[in-house]
Amino acid sequence: MITIAAVIATAMAVGARQYVEPYRSTTGQVVLLIVLGLIAAGLAWLRSASILREPARLLARPGAEVRP
């Protein structure tokens, strides 16, 4: 997914210069950094949300050894 985005961004930088023109200024670079940071934070949040946690045993006695 990241590779596809990089290929599209490169193609736009080469072929559609008017589209990426706002990112050539300092303000544009800051905005781009903020957008990329939000995307990275979203991907990190999705990764943490996708980790399955093993639920507590329902029928285990307190202090009993749990064997798989």
Side-chain angles (χ1 to χ4, degrees):
M1 183 169 153
I2 294 174
T3 305
I4 293 170
V7 168
I8 291 172
T10 303
M12 289 175 65
V14 171
R17 292 197 184 269
Q18 293 174 349
Y19 184 77
V20 295
E21 187 66 33
Y23 300 112
R24 293 188 187 274
S25 68
T26 304
T27 306
Q29 291 289 311
V30 170
V31 170
L32 183 61
L33 247 160
I34 291 170
V35 169
L36 290 177
L38 288 172
I39 290 171
L43 288 173
W45 175 74
L46 282 173
R47 177 160 165 62
S48 70
S50 69
I51 296 173
L52 299 176
R53 291 167 183 85
E54 189 173 329
R57 294 216 177 237
L58 183 62
L59 299 175
R61 289 177 290 180
E65 181 181 330
V66 179
R67 288 188 243 167

